[in-house]
């Protein structure tokens, strides 16, 4: 038997055919057609699976199920998406029902951060442990919590939205969610930039970033690179970012006591450098029994995490 999976994004959908052990057999991409309120997206995905079956030698009769990762708030039990801005979907969309009707197969859906977490658990840095947490640091901060082998969805699907709890008590920066001081405002790529401007103004450090700061052209990668080169100001900023992340992780540690805390997304490409700073702060501030044996690691699957995790939904929930 095989599993079909799609990681649906605002510009492309990553499609894959996977084995029951979640090994990728084939993968390809199609553009996401968001016109006409994105009404073609699901049909395009299904048609592409069907069309490629002949080319890539798999049989639609052997499909165990289809897993979908969606960039928006998902009600896991109902299989619905409540407004996905990037896909131009508004209102409640019955994705599971629609896709089951199209394909005649069992379908499971979850949000992009959750499927990426499941992917990393099964085939990546999570080493198939029962308790794993993933933080994806990109333009924003995505999160996923797996406790006792189950993704935590909570009563309305907001469980694991780790980008949006307040870590900056001074509430210095506005978050996209409408609140101030969320983890996302100080630990995403945007957060790195926020803190760079903020501390430059406050502390008047000498720094190699000065020109970029004056021109308002700072990018997160520039700050990491400068810090790696020994720039004192950049290092100061990265320490602040790391300390906010450490605080978030220390709270998560006493909640679900994960074995692995996986840091993914573009910002995590800073790799060992960032992890080291997080680790130091984390050790200082976390309840000792909760940090024993917990490891902070970088994600391993890159862009495939979502697709593998979407297939993982089928491995986990279709028997
Ligand atoms: Zn927020």
């Amino acid at each position: 038997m095989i599993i079909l999976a799609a990681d649906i994004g605002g510009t492309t959908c990553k499609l894959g055919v996977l084995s029951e052990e979640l090994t990728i057999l084939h993968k390809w991409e199609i553009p996401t057609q968001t016109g006409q309120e994105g009404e073609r997206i699901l049909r395009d995905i299904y048609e592409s699976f069907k069309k490629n079956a002949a080319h890539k030698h798999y049989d639609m009769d052997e499909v165990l199920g289809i897993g979908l990762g969606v960039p928006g708030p998902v009600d896991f039990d109902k299989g619905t998406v409540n407004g996905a801005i990037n896909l131009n979907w508004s209102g409640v969309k019955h994705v599971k029902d629609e896709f089951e009707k199209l394909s005649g197969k069992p379908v499971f859906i979850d949000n992009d951060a959750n499927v990426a977490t499941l992917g990393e658990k099964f085939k990546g840095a999570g080493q198939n442990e029962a308790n794993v947490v993933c933080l994806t640091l990109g333009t924003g901060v995505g999160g996923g919590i797996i406790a006792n082998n189950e993704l935590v969805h909570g009563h309305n699907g907001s469980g694991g939205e780790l980008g949006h709890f307040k870590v900056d008590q001074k509430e210095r920066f506005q978050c996209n969610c409408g609140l101030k001081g969320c983890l996302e405002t100080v630990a995403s790529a945007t957060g790195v930039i926020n803190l760079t401007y903020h501390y430059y103004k406050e502390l008047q450090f000498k720094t190699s970033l000065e020109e970029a700061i004056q021109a308002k052209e700072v990018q997160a990668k520039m700050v990491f690179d400068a810090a790696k080169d020994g720039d004192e100001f950049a290092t100061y900023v990265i320490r602040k970012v790391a300390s906010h992340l450490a605080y978030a992780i220390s709270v998560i540690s006493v909640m679900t006591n994960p074995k692995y805390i996986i840091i993914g997304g573009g910002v995590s490409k800073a790799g060992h450098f960032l992890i080291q700073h997080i680790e130091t702060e984390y050790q200082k501030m976390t309840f000792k029994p909760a940090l024993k044996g917990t490891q902070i690691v970088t994600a391993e699957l890159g862009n495939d995490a979502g697709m593998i995790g979407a297939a993982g939904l089928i491995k986990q929930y279709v028997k």
Side-chain angles (χ1 to χ4, degrees), residues 28-41:
W28 67 95
E29 291 185 5
I30 61 170
T32 309
Q33 308 284 354
T34 55
Q36 294 153 317
E37 298 192 348
E39 63 165 33
R40 279 182 52 187
I41 296 172

Side-chain angles (χ1 to χ4, degrees), residues 48 53 71 143 152 213 231:
S48 186
V152 172
I213 292 171
D231 186 285

Side-chain angles (χ1 to χ4, degrees), residues 161 163-166 173-185:
E161 287 287 357
H164 302 284
F165 79 93
K166 189 156 86 181
F173 313 107
Q174 181 70 47
C175 187
N176 284 330
C177 73
L179 296 173
K180 286 180 173 174
C182 292
L183 182 63
E184 185 164 300
T185 66

Side-chain angles (χ1 to χ4, degrees), residues 123-134:
K123 298 292 274 190
Q127 310 279 340
N128 216 8
E129 277 290 330
N131 295 284
V132 170
V133 168
C134 193

Side-chain angles (χ1 to χ4, degrees), residues 15-193:
L15 308 191
V17 180
L18 293 91
S19 71
E20 284 182 74
E21 293 74 42
L22 304 182
T23 304
I24 297 175
L25 305 173
H26 308 286
K27 61 172 178 175
W28 67 95
E29 291 185 5
I30 61 170
T32 309
Q33 308 284 354
T34 55
Q36 294 153 317
E37 298 192 348
E39 63 165 33
R40 279 182 52 187
I41 296 172
L42 296 179
R43 205 162 0 115
D44 285 351
I45 292 171
Y46 177 63
E47 292 298 331
S48 186
F49 278 135
K50 236 176 30 178
K51 202 176 83 194
N52 269 281
H55 294 310
K56 298 187 192 289
H57 309 290
Y58 59 87
D59 192 336
M60 292 300 276
D61 288 340
E62 284 178 17
V63 174
L64 184 64
I66 303 170
L68 305 174
V70 182
V74 168
D75 184 319
F76 181 75
D77 294 326
K78 294 194 181 108
T80 55
V81 179
N82 193 0
I85 301 159
N86 294 340
L87 305 181
N88 220 357
W89 290 350
S90 52
V92 176
K93 194 163 171 70
H94 297 262
V95 175
K96 180 181 163 78
D97 286 352
E98 270 186 50
F99 215 90
E100 284 184 342
K101 220 175 272 171
L102 271 173
S103 64
K105 304 286 180 187
V107 172
F108 281 85
I109 70 167
D110 211 333
N111 74 55
D112 45 7
N114 279 350
V115 291
T117 305
L118 198 59
E120 287 289 343
K121 168 203 159 44
F122 277 133
K123 298 292 274 190
Q127 310 279 340
N128 216 8
E129 277 290 330
N131 295 284
V132 170
V133 168
C134 193
L135 276 169
T136 308
L137 313 179
T139 318
V141 172
I145 300 172
I146 293 170
N148 304 329
N149 278 314
E150 290 277 345
L151 274 164
V152 172
H153 293 101
H155 87 93
N156 71 10
S158 305
E161 287 287 357
L162 303 173
H164 302 284
F165 79 93
K166 189 156 86 181
V167 300
D168 178 16
Q169 302 304 328
K170 292 182 198 148
E171 301 189 343
R172 288 168 296 184
F173 313 107
Q174 181 70 47
C175 187
N176 284 330
C177 73
L179 296 173
K180 286 180 173 174
C182 292
L183 182 63
E184 185 164 300
T185 66
V186 288
S188 59
T190 318
V192 173
I193 297 165

